[in-house]
C-alpha cells in the first residue's frame, strides 16, 4: 500500500474500458489480476462495498484448485522474497508497516521456522492481513494457527485475503460506500486536582514486544481540552497487540505550581493495554491528581 | 549491618563495664569508638532514644577538627576500599543493601568521578545514609549535593552520620524506646467487577533505574483479603527512589471465568511511583475491573 | 433484647441446676421454655455454638403440631399486642430496634393489612428476625413472602426463629465459641488532592425509607487516619435495607484552604447503597478531590 | 423572554427606520426604551456584540440620576407587582423560569422581607439576572448583597442589568456575532464492568433547594453511546446553584443480566454538585460497576 489518497474514483472505474479497470484493480488480489477481470462486466457498482462483494464472490466462484493457486501466490511473511526485495509494492508496504522489515536475527529465525513448518503442514504459505496486527501478535497468531486443521486454515487464509483486498481497495478507490476498515485509538487527560482538562501533557504510545524492544508508534502533547490534536491512531486498523501509553504527569504538575513531593509520587504514568478488535475505537482516558489516577476503556 | 535481631539489650548495656559498653557500640559511629566511650559515664539511659541523643550530643561537643576527622573516617561509596573489601562490616552490608556492590562499569565510573569531584571540592568523602536510598537516588543526591556550599555539606554530612548511627543502634540494641526508623510499603487489590477482594494476584515490586536495569525487590501473591501476607517493605526505611509495582490482572480475571477480550484489555498492570520519605507508610492500592483501574496513595 | 452485656457465662450455665438453666434460657425461644428444658440434660456444652445447635435440634425433634404451636406463640409485627405493651421484653426491644414502635398511621395500616392477610393464608403469624432488617426491608420481605407456599413459609418461619434465638443467645451467654452473628459497616476517606487521609470530615448514616422519612442511624467525624473512631455499625447485624452516607466534603476543603469554586463543586457528597447480607462487612470508602470522587465496596 | 427563536435579524435592524429599531429593542432595558433610541444613529452594527456594547455605553453615558431611574424602573423579585401580573412580559418569563412564580408562603415571606430591607437600605430594588440563578441561589445572593455598600450595589445592579439586556438581545436578534451567553450541562455513563457505554440508564436532574423541595429540571435516558441525545441543559445559562443528578444504575445491571446482590448494592446513584459559572460547560460523567463508581468534573 503506497499511500492514503485513493488514486481513482468509483465513478471513473465504472465507466472506463474493461482492460483499464482490470489494470487499476489488478493488485487488489496478490498476483491474481483475474479477480478484477472477472467482475468488470458487472459494472457499474453503486458503492465501493458492492464492488468489494463482487470481488469476493469471484474468488468463491472459481474451482478449489484456482483458489489454492491464489493462496499459493502470496509471499512468505518476512521471508526470503522480502529480503531479496522480490515482493509486490503492496506487500512490501504492508510488511514494513508491521515492522517485518526490521527483524532481529532471532525474530527472523522464528519467522523462518514458522514459515517452513506451516508450508510443510498445509502446502501453502501463512497468510495474515498484517495491517491488522503487530509483529508480536502476528507471531502469536502464527503459532496458534499452526495447530489448526487443513480445512480451517484454508478458510482462514481466504478470510485474510479478503481483508487484505478490502484494505487495498479502500486505499485505491474513492467514492460512495467506502469500506473504511479503520479503528481509532485516542486519549484524554483530565486533571481532577484542579477540575479542568490537563493541557501540555507529553504522551507516547509504544507497541510492546515480548522481546522487550518496544516500538514508538506515536507521540503527542495534550491541547487545552486535554486531548491530542489528532487521535494517536486513526484512518487505519488499530493493530491487534499490546501497547503502552505513557503520560508525563510529574512535569505537568511541576509546571502547574502544585506543591508535590520530591521526587513527585507520580512522574511518568504508564498504561498497558491490549487491542483485540482492529476496527474498534479504543479510547483510553486518564483522570489524574498528583497522588492518584484512574483509567478505563472509554468511548 | 549484619542482621535484624538486636544483639544486646539496653538494660544490659546500662550495667556492663564501661569498656564493654564502648566495645558494643564502638561501630555505631564509623571508625570512631570515642563517641560511645564519651557517653558511658552518663548511663543509665532510660530509652534507646535517649542513648541516641547522648551519642549525637557527644559528636556535637567535640572540636570542629575532631568532627572533621570523624567525617573523614568514612569510606567512599562504591570506592576503591569497597572493591578491596577494606570496609567495616557495617559499611559493607549497607552498601550491598543498596546494590552498590553490583555496579556496572558505567555506574562504577560515575561513582568514581563523583567521589573525586566531591573530595576535591570539600576535602572529605560524600556521606549518605545508604539504607534510605536506592542506587539511583544516591547518584541523584550525589550530583545535587556537589553543588552545595562547604558549610551546607558539613551540616548534611553530620546529619547523615547521625542517621547511619541511629539505624545501626536500632539494629544492635533492644529495649524500651527504640528508634524504629522504619517505613512501610504495602498494597491491596479490590475487584470492583465482583465487589470483593482480589485473591491470587501475582505482584512484583521493582526498583527503577535510569539505566533501565530494574531490580526486583519483592514478589507476592494476594491472599483472600486482597492483601499480601506481609507488607512488601517493612521494618526498615523504604529507600527514597522510583518503583514499579506490577499486578497480573489478566490472569486473575481469566481464572475467575469473567468473559474478557482476547487478548484481554488489561494483562499486567504497572504502577510507577516514587518514594520521597523513607520513614513514611506508602500504601498503593489497586481497584480493578477487566476494563478499568484506579490507584492512589492510600493510608 | 435488653442489652449488650451477656448476663451469664457458659461455664456457669453448664454447672447450674437444670431448673436454673431452663430459667436463664427460657426466653431464647419465644413463649417456649420447653426448648431450653429439653437440652439441659445434654450439658456440658463445649461452646455456645454447640448449645445453639442443641436448641435447634430440640425444635426439629418435636412433633409438627408442637412446632406449629411454637410458631403461633410469636406476636404480630407492629400489631395490637405491641400497641398494648403485651410483648415479651425481648420482642419489645427487637421491634423497637427496627423502628416498629414509631410507625406512621399509613405504615401501621400496612402492617395491619399484611398481618391479617398472612394469618388468613397461612394460619400463623409472619415471623422475621427483625434485628436483621430495616422497617422498609421488613415490609418488602412481608409482601414477597405472602406469595410463598405454606410449606416454604413453615420452613422460613423456623429459620427466622432460629436466627432470633441465636441472637438472643449471643446477648445472654458469654464464653467460648460465641456465635457473634454480627456484621460491620465502616468507611474511610482519602483526600487524593493532597495524598493523605481526610481528617475532620463530618459523616452521617441514614436508613432510607420508601416513604422519604429517612432515619439517622449514626454520625461521626473522621480522625487523622481518615476513619471513624468506631465502625458506623458493629457488634450486631447490619440490617438488610437501603442506606445513605453523607460526607461534608465542601467544609473539609474550605478548612484546608484549597482554592475551590463558590459555591464549591462538591459540598455534601451522598452515597446510597443497599445491604443484602446482615452478617457481612460493608466497607464503603470515599476517595475525594474538590472535583471528583470514587466509592466502592471495599474490604 | 417569550421564546428561543430570535424575531429579527441584525441586517434588518441595521436598515429599518430609527423608530422601528427603537420599538424592536425597546424592552431590552426594562422600562427604558431611551437606551435603544440612543444608539439608533450609530447603525449599522457589524455584529450583535457591537450592538450590545453600544447599548451598554449609552447607559454609562447618561447622568447618575438617569441611571438611578433606570435601576428604579425594575420590579421587585417575586414582589407585589409579580403577584398582580403587572410585570413586563420579559420579567414575567424570567421570574417564572427561576420558579419565582411558585413560591411557598415561607419563601414569599422571605422575598418580601429581603425586598423591603434592600429598598430601605439602598433606595432601589434588588436586581439580579434571574436566568443565571436558581431560586435558592437568588436568595443566597440576596442575603449576601444586602451587606454590601451603596457604591458596590450600584455597580452590581448595573452589571446585572447589562446581563439581563444581553440575554434579551440574544433572544430577539439573530445574525453575526451573537453573544450566546450560554452554558451547558451534560453527562456520560461508562459501564466499566463490561467495558462499554451504558445504554438505557434513566437519568434525572433536580435543582436542590434548602427547603428540601427539589425541582425536576430534566430527565433523559442514555443512548447507545452512554450519552443523552441532547445535553441536560444547553442554549441558555446553567443557573448558578446546587443540583442532583440521579442514575438508575440498579435497573441497568438487572437488565444486563449481571449477577448482583438482592437488593443490589447500587440502585439509584445520586451525584450532588454545584454550578458556580453560569456560562461554563459542566460535564459530569459516571463510571460505574455494580460495586463502585467514579464521577468528576469532565470536559
Amino acid at each position: 500500500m503506497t499511500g492514503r489518497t485513493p488514486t481513482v474514483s468509483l465513478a471513473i472505474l465504472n465507466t472506463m474500458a474493461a482492460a483499464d479497470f482490470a489494470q487499476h484493480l489488478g493488485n487488489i488480489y496478490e498476483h491474481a489480476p483475474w479477480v478484477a477481470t472477472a467482475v468488470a462486466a458487472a459494472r457499474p457498482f453503486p458503492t465501493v462495498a458492492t464492488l468489494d462483494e463482487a470481488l469476493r464472490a469471484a474468488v468463491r466462484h472459481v474451482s478449489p484448485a484456482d483458489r489454492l493457486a491464489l493462496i499459493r501466490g502470496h509471499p512468505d511473511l518476512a521471508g526470503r522474497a522480502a529480503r531479496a526485495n522480490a515482493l509486490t509494492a503492496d506487500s512490501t508496504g504492508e510488511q514494513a508497516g508491521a515492522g517485518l522489515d526490521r527483524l532481529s536475527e532471532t525474530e527472523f529465525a522464528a519467522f523462518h521456522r514458522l514459515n517452513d513448518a506451516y508450508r510443510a503442514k498445509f502446502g501453502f504459505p501463512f497468510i495474515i492481513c498484517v495491517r491488522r496486527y503487530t509483529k508480536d501478535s502476528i507471531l502469536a497468531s502464527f503459532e496458534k494457527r499452526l495447530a489448526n486443521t487443513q480445512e480451517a486454515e484454508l478458510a482462514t487464509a481466504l478470510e485474510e485475503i479478503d481483508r487484505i483486498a478490502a484494505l487495498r481497495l479502500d486505499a485505491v478507490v474513492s467514492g460512495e460506500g467506502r469500506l473504511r476498515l479503520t479503528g481509532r485509538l485516542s486519549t484524554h487527560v483530565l486533571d481532577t486536582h484542579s477540575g479542568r482538562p490537563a493541557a501540555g501533557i507529553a504522551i507516547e504510545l509504544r507497541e510492546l514486544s515480548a522481546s522487550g524492544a518496544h516500538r514508538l508508534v506515536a507521540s503527542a502533547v495534550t491541547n487545552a481540552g486535554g486531548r491530542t490534536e489528532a487521535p494517536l491512531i486513526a484512518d487505519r486498523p488499530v493493530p491487534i497487540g499490546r501497547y503502552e501509553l505513557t503520560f508525563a504527569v510529574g512535569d505537568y504538575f511541576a509546571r502547574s505550581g502544585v506543591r508535590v513531593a520530591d521526587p513527585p509520587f507520580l512522574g511518568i504514568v504508564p498504561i498497558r493495554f491490549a487491542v483485540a478488535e482492529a476496527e474498534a475505537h479504543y479510547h483510553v482516558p486518564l483522570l489524574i491528581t498528583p497522588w492518584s489516577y484512574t483509567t478505563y476503556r472509554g468511548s
Side-chain angles (χ1 to χ4, degrees), chain A:
Chain A
M1 194 167 294
T2 51
R4 290 285 164 71
T5 314
T7 52
V8 64
S9 75
L10 181 62
I12 290 175
L13 276 178
N14 271 334
T15 53
M16 60 176 53
D20 292 344
F21 174 83
Q23 197 197 335
H24 264 100
L25 303 186
N27 293 323
I28 299 297
Y29 282 80
E30 184 86 358
H31 293 309
W34 59 263
V35 184
T37 302
V39 308
R43 291 177 299 163
F45 295 103
T47 64
V48 180
T50 52
L51 166 56
D52 179 59
E53 278 164 37
L55 292 166
R56 289 175 189 234
V59 169
R60 296 302 184 279
H61 195 252
V62 298
S63 71
D66 285 351
R67 264 201 302 284
L68 187 57
L70 170 65
I71 291 172
R72 286 188 173 147
H74 284 74
D76 279 350
L77 281 185
R80 286 180 201 86
R83 289 225 157 170
N85 294 321
L87 300 184
T88 62
D90 282 330
S91 279
T92 299
E94 290 158 3
Q95 297 203 15
L100 299 189
D101 58 339
R102 281 153 295 163
L103 297 181
S104 67
E105 283 308 309
T106 312
E107 291 167 334
F108 183 76
F111 271 101
H112 188 86
R113 176 182 59 77
L114 286 163
N115 277 326
D116 286 355
Y118 191 95
R119 275 188 184 274
K121 175 166 181 183
F122 298 113
F124 51 85
F126 175 75
I127 300 175
I128 192 166
C129 178
V130 294
R131 301 228 325 141
R132 300 178 71 249
Y133 290 88
T134 64
K135 186 173 63 183
D136 263 47
S137 62
I138 289 170
L139 276 169
S141 183
F142 213 153
E143 296 275 10
K144 200 171 165 188
R145 284 173 52 188
L146 203 49
N148 284 352
T149 63
Q150 177 86 7
E151 193 181 0
E153 276 307 295
L154 266 176
T156 302
L158 284 171
E159 283 167 20
E160 293 295 320
I161 286 171
D162 285 341
R163 285 192 175 113
I164 295 166
L167 283 168
R168 291 179 177 180
L169 201 64
D170 239 1
V172 167
V173 184
S174 65
E176 294 252 323
R178 290 191 66 204
L179 304 163
R180 281 171 299 189
L181 295 170
T182 62
R184 194 148 42 114
L185 176 58
S186 58
T187 187
H188 187 193
V189 192
L190 266 299
D191 170 355
T192 48
H193 180 272
S194 304
R196 61 180 175 223
I201 297 231
I203 295 175
E204 294 184 336
L205 174 68
R206 281 183 179 73
E207 192 181 298
L208 298 186
S209 166
S211 73
H214 307 328
R215 188 161 73 99
L216 186 67
V217 174
S219 58
V221 172
T222 54
N223 59 22
R227 302 177 191 272
T228 57
E229 285 304 325
L232 296 167
I233 295 180
D235 296 324
R236 60 178 177 102
V238 183
I240 290 166
R242 294 185 310 115
Y243 295 87
E244 181 174 88
L245 270 168
T246 55
F247 301 81
V249 161
D251 289 348
Y252 167 77
F253 283 115
R255 280 195 311 273
S256 303
V258 173
R259 217 174 59 90
V260 293
D262 178 24
F265 184 63
L266 298 176
I268 299 288
V269 167
I271 300 179
R272 288 193 194 154
F273 62 95
V275 164
E277 302 171 88
E279 286 79 27
H281 179 195
Y282 282 80
H283 185 57
V284 184
L286 184 68
L287 313 178
I288 194 98
T289 80
W291 303 98
S292 66
Y293 60 91
T294 292
T295 188
Y296 54 96
R297 180 163 181 195
S299 78

